[in-house]
Each structure stands twice: as C-alpha cells, then as structure tokens.
Amino acid sequence: MRGAFDLRLYQQVLGAANDFKEGDAAIGVAAADAVSRANARTLLERTRLGELHAHPPLEDRLFVFMLEAIDAEVRAATADWTVGRLKDFLLSAGEDEIKRVCRGLSSDVIACAVKLMSDAELTTVGSRIFHPLPGSQLGARGYLGARIQPNSPTDHPEDICWQVFNGWSFAVGDVVLGTNPVSSVPESVAAVEAALHDILVTFGLQDVMPNCVLAHIDIQARVEEFQPGTTGIWFQSIAGTESANRTFDVTLEKMVEHAARRTGRFGLYFETGQGADATNGQHAGCDMVLLESRKYGFARALKRRVGLAQVGAGREAAPWVHVNDVAGFIGPEVFRSREQLVRCCLEDIVMGKLHGLMIGLDICSTLHMDVTLDDLGWCQDKIAPACPGYLMALPTRNDPMLSYLTTSFQDHVRLREKFGYRVDDRMWAFFQRLGVIDAQGRPTERFGDPRWVYAEYRKRRGDTRPDAQLLAEAEKKMEEVHARGVALAVGRGEHVWDVEPGLDRQVRAHYEDAKLGIWTELSHAFIKTVPDAVVLRTQSLDRRDYILHPPSGEKLDADSVRVVEALRQRRESRWDVQIVLSDGLDPRSLMDEGHLAPFLETLRRELVAANYRVAPEHLVIKGGRVRAGYQVGELLFGDKADGLPRALLHVVGERPGSGHHAFSVYMTAPAGRVWAGQERPVDHDITRVIAGISDTSVRPEEAAREAVRILGGLSRG
C-alpha cells in the first residue's frame, strides 16, 4: 500500500488481529469490523518469524534488554517458520519440544501467535505447558495455588494476619502471603512485613512460601536493609515500554540491580495487566496483547539475571520468579465484558507460559465494568482448564481496601472440587497437621474456622492457656477486625464452597452500593460548603463519558484552563501549595459527613504550622482524575526559572466497593521548572499517595498529618 515499510500501518495491522477490546480501539489499532480482523489475521498467519524479528513495532532499551534471554540458535532455526506454522506447532507438539522452541521466540512473535488462536486453542496450549517453581508443585500440572491477599484499609497488622488465618482455615494459601499496602512509608511496610514473616516462622513455613508487601521495590529493599530477612520475595509492577515503566519509577538499571541482590531462595514477583501502558499514555502505538507479551519478556530477562546472581553467590541457578496478571483491574476503558475478561486471561496465561514463566491470575473486575459478582464464577470456570499457576484468595470476592472484585477462599475450594486441582504438597500436609482437613483431604469440623488457626498459632508461640480461652480471645479479635471494615469468611452455606448466607448478603450490598456511587454526581449544594471553592471542569461530556473514556477526565476544558491561568496572574507566585478536589469514581467519598471537612481543616492547620504558604482557594474539578491535577500544577506553577518546590495536594474520590466511601490524597511537589516540563511531564512516578481515607478506615485527621509529613520529604527531595 505504501511502497515501503510503514511503522504506523504495521502497528495497526498487528492490533487489528486481536479480538476486540476497548483499549485497542482507544489508541486506534482495533479492527474496524470482523472482515478487517480476519484479513489482518490472514496477513499475520503468512508472515515469517524472521520478518517479525527484523521489524519490531517498537524499539527502546527495554526491547534490547529482552533479547538477551533469547536463544540465538533456536531463533535462527525457526526464522523461516510462518506464524501460522508456529501456531500449529504449539497445538500439536509435546511439552519439552515446545519449551525448546520457545527459548528462541521473541515476545513479539509470541504475541502474534496468540492473536491467531481461538479461546479453545488458547486453553489447549495453556493446559500443556507448566513451569513449576523450584522445589515445589506450584505451577505444576494438576495444581492450582493461591496468593492470599490480606488487604486492610488501614494497614492494620491484625487485619492482615487474621485474613491469613482465615485462608488457611479453608486449606487455601500456598504461593505467597502478599498484601497491598495503603501506605508505602518504610516503617509501615516494615511492620506488615514483620507480621507476615512472623506467621511463617511460627508455623515453620519460612522456607516453604514467602511473604511480600507489594510496595515499590525500592521500599522493600530499604526495609530489608534495616530489618534483614523479613521481606521474603520482592515485588514490582512492570510495563511493556521503557517510558511506561518510568511512570512506575522503574528503570532497567534499577531492576537489574535489584535482581542481582536476589541470591536466596525467593527471587522476584511481578504484576502486569493488559492496558496499563495505554492508560498511562505510554503505548507508543502498540496494541495491548503485544505490550503485555513484552512485560513477560522483561520478566523472563530478569528471571535470567536472578539465576546468574544465584550462580555468582555459589548457589544452583533456581530462580523463584513468578508473575501475576491482574487482568481486569483497570476498568471499562480497557475492556468491559465477562467474555473479554476470559479472553484476556487466556491470552496472558499462554503468553506467560511461552516465556517460561510461572504465571498466576487475578480474575477480577472493577465495579464500573459490566461484570457482576456471579459473572466471576462463570469466568473462573472458563479459565481454570487453561491451568493458571495460581489465583488470588480473599475472604470474599470484594477486596476491602482496593474496592474491586476478585477470587474468594471458597472459590478455591469450589475449583478444587470441580476440576480436581491440588494444593502444593508441603502446604497440604501442613493443613492436615493444622486439623482443617483430614488424612484423606476432607474438611473437618474446623474447616473454615479461623479461630482454630489462631489458637494453633498462639500455642506454637508458647501460649499454654486452654483452648476455650484462646478461642474466646479469637472471637473478640475477629470482632475488632470486622469493626475496622474487614470481612472474614466463617462457616459456609449449603456446600463447603458456599459463602455463609449473611456474609453473602453483605458482599452483595456493597456491590449494589458501589453501583450507586459510580453514577453519583458531585452536588452543587455540597460544593457551596467548600470554603473558597473555584469550580473547574474536565473535557468529559457527562458522567458516562467520564467513566467509559478516562482520558476525557485527565484534561481541563478550555474555560477552566482560562480560569486557572487568570488565578495565576492574580497571585503573582505568593503561594507554594495548592489544594485540589476531584469527584473521582465515587463523589460520595467527599460528600459524606465527617470525610472532607475534618481532612481540610487539619491539613490547612498543619501546613501553616510547617510554614507552607497555602493558597486560600480550593479548586474543585468536576469529572476529574489524577492527571487533571497535574495539568493544574503545570498551569499554576510552571516556570522554567523557578527552582523552588511547588506542591499540589489532590484529593480524589476512590473507586467504590469496600463500603468505606474512601478518598485518596495525591502529593506532588517538584520545582517550578519541573512543572514547566523542563525535564519531562509531571507524572505518577514523582507522586506519593495516601489511600483509603474515610471515617471508617484511615481517619481524615490522621491522613492530613501524614500528608504534611510526606510533603516535607518531597519538598526536601
């Protein structure tokens, strides 16, 4: 068509071969219709692997780094294969032969082969390739593991520990005890790491499975320095382009350095997800499947570096490295339906396995997707035959901190029963010793009773009190956990895999409440109560446009830009802190009584006490997302000659679902010249956040004081 190679057209043809997803359409690479998709697949099917190697759709340093993990001889031997031949090979060859050939396949080639497969074909390939973690059955044929995800809206160590006890009471939890922190302050991360590590040590499991607090990898490394031996496996979210990784504050040099330090039993844990690069504006014209495959290429290369580090330390190369694909976490801007969620998970299982990785899934959805609580069970049943290495595991399908839907403990019980999957043998033996299952693996009367696990924990710590006292203490502690907004699954319904009816009603009520929150508007009456409010609007046409097309909420409309520019002219640089408020995904988080007012009062008082000059106006953005705040900062503070820190504190309503109606505060404080784009646009990598702020989770007054403390560090930095 063009008479020569055309990169943009090439990217569009590659993207058009994908099953339809909204994320590809948003960046202009989705097929226009089924005929276009079929034509793109025909072109791709006839393309030789050598041509794909010779024409990368994106070249950056990450692409070059990924090449070091590819076997050059195997790559050369398959250069004349077409993608269609590769697909047929993957569907017919034996596991060992597939693994040998995959050593020479680039991430782009693997993505292209997956594009040609039906869901049934993806399931076939996924069910034939396994990469168990060293010295375990995790990720092996016939096994389905679990990452217990004991999240707490306040990072309370007891909330976290009790969810571990809860999971183990259902004989669930053998891959990692991994919690997502609200605060990434090293001291807070260290406290949670220590609590999780203590459980493993107390039960003698520290060499069987690791713990992990999913803070930034730099924070985990710092915690390990002052609290050696407690951090278990090290985690990091990764992206498919070098520029997208920078939004996570991740560089190649940094990750190579961290990999070189992982010489012990447990190495690195990565999280990925289709669409993250696109939603960060760093897709470089490439489709979601291709970029997701490149994330696995990044993980494969880092896994190799961990193995080399082990050899350098005098150990056998046995890198304990695994990936978790968080498939539906972003929202409807990536894909909307349960069928698309299944497709995404199947694609990612196969791409991960073809990269030689043990890959697990977070089969999840946000509350603004068209995926219900019941749909998740349907998705699990469609995906399980493709043999993911593990799934997430929580007391219910509703995460109490991240406010999204995922896999419950009892979902694991159901999937084990339906598909005959097993738990890692060492942990299964532990669950039998614990008494929650019998010698034949059948549930005992203690199954689903976290009080019993707590009592056993106390005994192993030398507590000699009678069982009755320990169980009574457990009951009291569970009530305290529940009072902090964290549900525990106790007992069951009709079947052992059914959630107790009362808890099921509670989870469904949270779901319905979340649906209301998503479509709530920030009211004029509430805005009038905000002192010195200046109302701004983004380019979102309405609430629906804001929900379904997130970029529309990242930029101010023209009138609002003029308002902010006029505000800057009147101020003449008198202020160095600006407070911004945005409705976000649940405006009720700001409007609920006892939420915003005490936060703002305490925040202003603490800022003044710390000698900050705080602008009197509160800029209220309707239809606002985090990046809309960055634009405000650029308009107010951008000055190429200004070397002083200028801070933006952006309060944003979080996604609903937890029942807390919580908001977050994003803190960004670079110099005026950085706001002016002297280096590069201001983005998430230099921003810090406090999440889960409400009258029932992180208290607004405490969050305000913590925000000023963090701001002090940012300003000095």
Side-chain angles (χ1 to χ4, degrees):
M1 290 177 64
R2 303 290 169 86
F5 177 73
D6 183 281
L7 178 61
R8 183 55 183 160
L9 179 59
Y10 181 47
Q11 291 174 329
Q12 289 173 325
V13 171
L14 291 177
N18 287 342
D19 263 33
F20 177 79
K21 300 188 190 85
E22 280 74 11
D24 286 337
I27 64 173
V29 296
D33 50 39
V35 173
S36 177
R37 182 174 300 106
N39 290 340
R41 288 176 174 172
T42 298
L43 288 171
L44 192 56
E45 185 177 29
R46 298 171 180 172
T47 302
R48 298 189 185 279
L49 306 192
E51 291 298 314
L52 292 172
H53 291 310
H55 296 88
L58 169 65
E59 292 187 73
D60 58 7
R61 291 197 312 149
L62 178 59
F63 171 76
V64 175
F65 177 68
M66 292 187 296
L67 295 178
E68 74 172 40
I70 297 175
D71 186 313
E73 291 185 5
V74 177
R75 172 174 164 171
T78 58
D80 285 339
W81 289 23
T82 63
V83 180
R85 178 181 172 184
L86 174 60
K87 171 193 163 182
D88 292 341
F89 169 81
L90 295 173
L91 288 166
S92 60
E95 182 180 11
D96 290 342
E97 184 63 10
I98 290 175
K99 288 181 177 179
R100 185 190 68 79
V101 168
C102 285
R103 291 199 296 269
L105 300 182
S106 71
S107 298
D108 295 348
V109 166
I110 289 171
C112 288
V114 163
K115 293 167 186 280
L116 299 182
M117 295 184 190
S118 66
D119 286 7
E121 289 169 334
L122 290 169
T123 301
T124 296
V125 175
S127 66
R128 298 174 63 202
I129 307 169
F130 299 90
H131 301 282
L133 292 175
S136 78
Q137 289 84 28
L138 300 169
R141 187 184 304 273
Y143 288 81
L144 178 65
R147 166 198 157 188
I148 292 184
Q149 183 172 297
N151 291 343
S152 165
T154 59
D155 281 343
H156 199 295
E158 290 212 356
D159 295 350
I160 292 164
C161 292
W162 269 96
Q163 290 178 79
V164 175
F165 301 152
N166 199 179
W168 283 352
S169 74
F170 286 102
V172 170
D174 54 351
V175 176
V176 61
L177 307 180
T179 186
N180 300 84
V182 176
S183 170
S184 288
V185 174
E187 293 75 14
S188 177
V189 171
V192 177
E193 292 275 25
L196 291 172
H197 182 67
D198 167 69
I199 294 175
L200 293 171
V201 171
T202 298
F203 284 108
L205 300 172
Q206 66 271 24
D207 295 324
V208 175
M209 65 185 299
N211 57 284
C212 183
V213 174
L214 282 69
H216 192 282
I217 194 168
D218 293 350
I219 300 297
Q220 295 164 78
R222 286 175 59 188
V223 171
E224 181 64 25
E225 289 172 0
F226 66 77
Q227 199 168 272
T230 64
T231 57
I233 196 168
W234 287 6
F235 158 86
Q236 183 55 51
S237 291
I238 56 174
T241 71
E242 187 178 12
S243 60
N245 276 306
R246 281 199 297 266
T247 66
F248 298 147
D249 192 19
V250 167
T251 63
L252 282 173
E253 292 80 6
K254 181 180 293 187
M255 293 307 298
V256 167
E257 181 181 343
H258 286 311
R261 297 178 60 182
R262 307 307 292 157
T263 58
R265 174 161 176 73
F266 303 118
L268 294 171
Y269 167 23
F270 301 111
E271 284 199 349
T272 69
Q274 287 193 33
D277 316 81
T279 56
N280 280 320
Q282 305 297 332
H283 52 80
C286 296
D287 64 88
M288 297 197 301
V289 169
L290 188 139
L291 290 177
E292 182 70 10
S293 188
R294 287 192 172 204
K295 295 166 196 174
Y296 304 140
F298 190 14
R300 174 171 64 179
L302 289 170
K303 177 182 175 181
R304 175 178 176 273
R305 290 296 184 104
V306 172
L308 292 173
Q310 291 177 317
V311 171
R315 294 170 53 93
E316 177 187 0
W320 184 292
V321 172
H322 60 89
V323 176
N324 176 34
D325 167 39
V326 188
F329 187 73
I330 296 176
E333 63 268 34
V334 175
F335 54 81
R336 298 181 192 174
S337 71
R338 67 179 193 171
E339 290 80 10
Q340 289 173 310
L341 175 57
V342 167
R343 175 71 189 187
C344 177
C345 289
L346 294 177
E347 290 168 345
D348 296 352
I349 290 171
V350 173
M351 290 193 293
K353 290 189 174 189
L354 294 182
H355 279 88
L357 298 168
M358 198 282 241
I359 180 167
L361 293 177
D362 195 344
I363 304 175
C364 62
S365 71
T366 62
L367 276 299
H368 51 318
M369 291 171 63
D370 296 330
V371 180
T372 68
L373 279 164
D374 294 329
D375 285 338
L376 284 183
W378 179 87
C379 292
Q380 292 164 7
D381 288 353
K382 294 291 185 182
I383 293 163
C387 303
Y390 62 100
L391 303 176
M392 301 301 99
L394 289 80
T396 74
R397 288 181 178 175
N398 186 39
D399 189 292
M401 187 271 281
L402 292 174
S403 300
Y404 78 122
L405 305 179
T406 183
T407 318
S408 71
F409 298 146
Q410 283 161 292
D411 285 325
H412 280 265
V413 178
R414 186 182 66 83
L415 292 170
R416 292 195 309 237
E417 180 73 18
K418 181 169 183 174
F419 294 100
Y421 284 129
R422 290 170 285 172
V423 169
D424 182 71
D425 291 351
R426 300 161 303 169
M427 286 302 293
W428 195 246
F430 165 70
F431 295 139
Q432 289 173 322
R433 295 193 302 272
L434 196 58
V436 297
I437 54 175
D438 63 20
Q440 287 71 45
R442 295 187 298 259
T444 69
E445 71 277 3
R446 295 159 184 157
F447 190 79
D449 187 355
R451 296 169 299 182
W452 176 258
V453 182
Y454 173 78
E456 290 297 301
Y457 167 77
R458 292 303 311 168
K459 291 176 186 177
R460 283 165 169 78
R461 291 185 61 83
D463 197 323
T464 59
R465 288 178 292 169
D467 283 354
Q469 289 186 25
L470 293 174
L471 294 173
E473 180 176 87
E475 193 73 45
K476 180 180 178 182
K477 287 183 175 292
M478 288 171 59
E479 291 173 0
E480 294 170 353
V481 170
H482 187 267
R484 289 190 290 267
V486 176
L488 296 175
V490 181
R492 60 183 177 87
E494 181 181 354
H495 306 100
V496 292
W497 56 82
D498 290 336
V499 176
E500 188 275 325
L503 180 58
D504 183 63
R505 287 192 294 272
Q506 177 186 328
V507 171
R508 292 179 183 278
H510 283 320
Y511 176 83
E512 296 301 328
D513 176 72
K515 290 297 186 183
L516 290 174
I518 283 288
W519 300 105
T520 298
E521 300 276 357
L522 196 63
S523 72
H524 295 296
F526 171 75
I527 293 174
K528 288 181 180 180
T529 69
V530 178
D532 297 302
V534 176
V535 179
L536 307 173
R537 289 175 174 80
T538 63
Q539 296 174 10
S540 296
L541 300 176
D542 51 28
R543 189 72 183 166
R544 180 177 177 79
D545 187 37
Y546 171 78
I547 296 298
L548 298 182
H549 304 107
S552 69
E554 295 180 347
K555 291 290 185 181
L556 301 179
D557 66 14
D559 289 341
S560 296
V561 169
R562 286 190 286 270
V563 169
V564 178
E565 289 174 337
L567 197 61
R568 173 173 177 156
Q569 292 298 320
R570 292 199 302 271
R571 288 179 173 182
E572 299 178 347
S573 302
R574 283 180 294 168
W575 316 116
D576 53 22
V577 175
Q578 176 65 59
I579 300 173
V580 178
L581 315 173
S582 286
D583 45 10
L585 290 175
D586 190 353
R588 298 173 305 176
S589 64
L590 307 187
M591 296 190 291
D592 281 2
E593 187 175 353
H595 281 205
L596 185 63
F599 176 80
L600 291 179
E601 291 166 7
T602 306
L603 180 64
R604 283 191 168 274
R605 184 172 63 250
E606 295 291 325
L607 285 168
V608 171
N611 296 317
Y612 288 102
R613 296 173 299 145
V614 189
E617 300 90 353
H618 293 102
L619 306 187
V620 181
I621 306 177
K622 298 193 71 174
R625 294 182 181 266
V626 177
R627 285 197 174 94
Y630 298 151
Q631 185 184 15
V632 169
E634 293 163 5
L635 293 169
L636 284 179
F637 297 136
D639 183 347
K640 296 179 180 180
D642 184 9
L644 296 176
R646 307 291 181 178
L648 189 93
L649 300 183
H650 191 181
V651 176
V652 184
E654 294 177 4
R655 61 176 66 179
S658 66
H660 294 288
H661 297 184
F663 63 87
S664 300
V665 56
Y666 292 81
M667 297 151 285
T668 314
R673 63 171 177 265
V674 177
W675 283 114
Q678 280 289 83
E679 301 166 13
R680 55 189 174 85
V682 170
D683 212 332
H684 304 326
D685 58 319
I686 61 170
T687 294
R688 298 295 176 264
V689 61
I690 301 173
I693 306 170
S694 76
D695 59 345
T696 56
S697 50
V698 178
R699 298 288 302 181
E701 300 87 347
E702 297 171 7
R705 287 188 283 270
E706 179 66 10
V708 176
R709 193 194 68 77
I710 292 174
L711 184 60
L714 290 175
S715 299
R716 289 190 297 273

